[in-house]
């Protein structure tokens, strides 16, 4: 897949901007606060249908404007497509001129892999960051997963409200929520486990030249025993009820999932250097690209927001060399980071963008 053009209107600090991208390397450079990440944010809309930076989409509308528009042309299996997002009080989406009713209809249609400095801390951070990584990865491959996930969190919220409620009658509804959580939960856990197995089958073969420690991901489900067995989950939800009422939250389920990464059998979170942890994340991300390619037949475009400055020179070059045969859109403050890499160069300054070569 390849993003050919992006047009913005009243999006973040842009009045109007159009970028015509090249099929391989695209470098967007400029000083801090000029609008580079805003472009990455707009591009990521194409994949997820929403902002990864703010949950309130209205915040992406340029201050003082009524609406924002993101439009893009992309080529998939050599067929040209067009997608349009219109953000005002409400959001609407059109794919090739046809209104799209549900977000889940876009997800999985356009595959894009994003890589931001937050991902570099994937290993060091708490489990929520790792669950997010798995969720966005699996959602791209299986849109039904995304739907399950949304349903699961809705049901979880209901159960937690019951736990917090002082009304004793509410407690009688808990078995309904338990049933639903067990059913959706086991599906989510199974898909997460399958995704981790898939990554394990790729991660040690996606790069050359990097550290060659053997990496293994280990799934840590928020459920004991057989995750595929709904009855098992149900039993645990029932058994934890007393404790859950005391703590006013649900203690069992995939919302408590995590995974660990072992490097030559040592836990990389505890024993890996910062450099080793970062190489590991690069490999994770490249595995994600390979798995998407296997599923769709095409490498997804890769968005790299300001991560090059976070890597040492050796890893920076190795990483770029290991991304082959796909479109990459890179932002950086200094194009010198890339020496004389061939590609399309765009300069961003105060909400304007201009191709310079
Ligand atoms: N809704 C908005 N309307 C206008 N400007 C905005 C809006 N949201 C963010 N900005 C501006 O966008 C700029 C940051 O852009 P960003 O893409 O994050 O910069 P960088 O080039 O450092 O990646 C800031 O100057 C910020 O004030
Ligand atoms: Mg930025």
């Amino acid at each position: 897949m390849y993003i050919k053009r992006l047009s913005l209107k009243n999006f973040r600090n842009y009045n109007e901007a159009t970028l015509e991208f090249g099929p391989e390397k695209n470098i967007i450079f400029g000083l801090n606060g000029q609008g580079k990440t805003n472009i990455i944010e707009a591009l990521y809309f194409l994949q997820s249908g929403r902002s990864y930076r703010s949950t309130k989409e209205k915040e992406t509308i340029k201050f003082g404007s009524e609406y924002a528009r993101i439009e893009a042309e992309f080529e998939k299996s050599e067929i040209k497509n067009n997608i349009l997002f219109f953000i005002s009080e409400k959001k609407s989406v059109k794919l090739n001129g046809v209104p799209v009713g549900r977000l889940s209809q876009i997800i999985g249609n356009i595959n894009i892999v994003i890589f931001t400095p937050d991902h570099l801390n994937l290993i060091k951070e708490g489990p929520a960051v790792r669950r997010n990584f798995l969720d966005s990865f699996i959602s791209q491959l299986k849109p039904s997963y995304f739907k399950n996930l949304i349903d699961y969190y809705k049901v979880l919220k209901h159960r937690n409200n019951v736990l917090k409620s002082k009304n004793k009658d509410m407690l009688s509804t808990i078995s309904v929520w338990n049933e639903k959580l067990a059913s959706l939960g086991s599906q989510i856990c199974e898909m997460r486990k399958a995704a981790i197995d898939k990554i394990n089958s790729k991660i040690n073969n996606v790069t050359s030249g990097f550290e060659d420690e053997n990496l293994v991901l280990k799934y840590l489900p928020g459920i004991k025993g057989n995750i595929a067995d709904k009855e098992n989950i149900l039993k645990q939800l029932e058994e934890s009820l007393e404790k859950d009422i005391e703590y006013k939250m649900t203690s069992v389920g995939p919302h408590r999932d995590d995974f660990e990464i072992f490097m030559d059998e040592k836990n990389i979170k505890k024993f890996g250097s910062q450099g080793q942890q970062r190489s590991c994340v690069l490999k994770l991300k490249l595995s994600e690209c390979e798995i998407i390619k296997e599923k769709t037949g095409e490498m997804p475009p890769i968005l790299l927001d300001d991560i090059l400055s976070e890597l040492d020179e050796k890893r920076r070059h190795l990483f770029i060399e290991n991304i082959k045969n796909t479109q990459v859109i890179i932002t950086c403050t200094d194009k010198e980071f890339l020496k004389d890499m061939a590609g399309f160069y765009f300069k961003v300054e105060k909400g304007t963008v201009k191709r310079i070569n």
Side-chain angles (χ1 to χ4, degrees), residues 117-293:
D118 287 346
H119 291 116
L120 284 175
N121 297 322
L122 190 104
I123 293 169
K124 272 201 231 139
E125 294 282 324
V129 181
R130 287 182 289 280
R131 282 194 298 269
N132 269 342
F133 163 78
L134 282 180
D135 291 343
S136 69
F137 167 53
I138 308 169
S139 298
Q140 289 213 46
L141 294 170
K142 266 193 185 290
S144 61
Y145 176 83
F146 180 67
K147 200 180 161 298
N148 273 354
L149 204 61
I150 289 180
D151 290 346
Y152 178 84
Y153 277 100
K154 269 190 205 154
V155 177
L156 183 65
K157 205 169 155 194
H158 282 299
R159 188 179 190 269
N160 287 343
N161 283 340
V162 173
L163 297 173
K164 283 177 205 146
S165 163
K166 300 211 164 53
N167 181 348
K168 287 270 178 293
D169 291 344
M170 293 268 287
L171 264 183
S172 61
T173 64
I174 206 113
S175 61
V176 180
W177 305 123
N178 285 355
E179 286 274 350
K180 290 189 177 168
L181 281 182
S183 160
L184 290 162
S186 73
Q187 292 176 56
I188 291 169
C189 289
E190 281 202 273
M191 286 200 203
R192 285 184 180 164
K193 173 151 194 329
I196 284 178
D197 288 346
K198 193 88 200 160
I199 295 172
N200 276 330
S201 73
K202 295 277 174 216
I203 193 159
N204 293 303
N205 305 313
V206 282
T207 54
S208 54
F210 270 86
E211 291 94 339
D212 56 4
E213 285 95 350
N214 191 57
L215 298 175
V216 178
L217 276 61
K218 185 171 169 243
Y219 181 38
L220 302 173
I223 294 160
K224 289 184 219 106
N226 184 357
I227 53 167
D229 179 6
K230 271 194 303 196
E231 296 304 317
N232 170 40
I233 304 178
L234 194 56
K235 194 161 152 259
Q236 286 179 51
L237 283 165
E238 283 161 0
E239 284 171 0
S240 67
L241 184 60
E242 220 169 288
K243 188 172 107 199
D244 289 359
I245 292 173
E246 189 184 337
Y247 290 98
K248 299 183 170 54
M249 58 177 196
T250 302
S251 58
V252 175
H255 60 287
R256 307 294 288 266
D257 278 4
D258 197 358
F259 66 86
E260 288 178 324
I261 304 177
F262 291 86
M263 179 188 68
D264 284 345
E265 290 166 26
K266 288 182 203 72
N267 189 327
I268 195 165
K269 186 171 185 168
K270 291 189 189 138
F271 300 106
S273 67
Q274 191 194 50
Q276 284 168 326
Q277 293 185 357
R278 292 194 158 175
S279 292
C280 171
V281 179
L282 301 178
K283 292 183 192 183
L284 263 183
K285 280 277 156 187
L286 290 171
S287 308
E288 189 180 349
C289 296
E290 276 299 318
I291 296 165
I292 291 173
K293 182 183 162 200

Side-chain angles (χ1 to χ4, degrees), residues 2 4-7 46 69-76 79-85 93-100 106 109-110:
Y2 145 48
K4 292 184 82 127
R5 181 176 58 81
L6 175 75
S7 295
L46 313 181
R69 246 173 83 109
I70 305 170
E71 198 198 345
E73 210 178 278
F74 62 98
E75 223 176 76
K76 199 180 165 187
I79 295 169
K80 262 196 203 144
N81 291 271
N82 180 286
I83 191 160
L84 170 72
F85 292 88
V93 189
K94 280 184 183 172
L95 185 60
N96 296 324
V98 181
V100 173
I106 323 178
N109 198 325
I110 303 174

Side-chain angles (χ1 to χ4, degrees), residues 57-74:
E57 247 131 45
K58 269 174 62 184
E59 290 174 3
T60 64
I61 302 172
K62 187 171 206 283
F63 303 141
S65 299
E66 302 277 301
Y67 68 91
R69 246 173 83 109
I70 305 170
E71 198 198 345
E73 210 178 278
F74 62 98

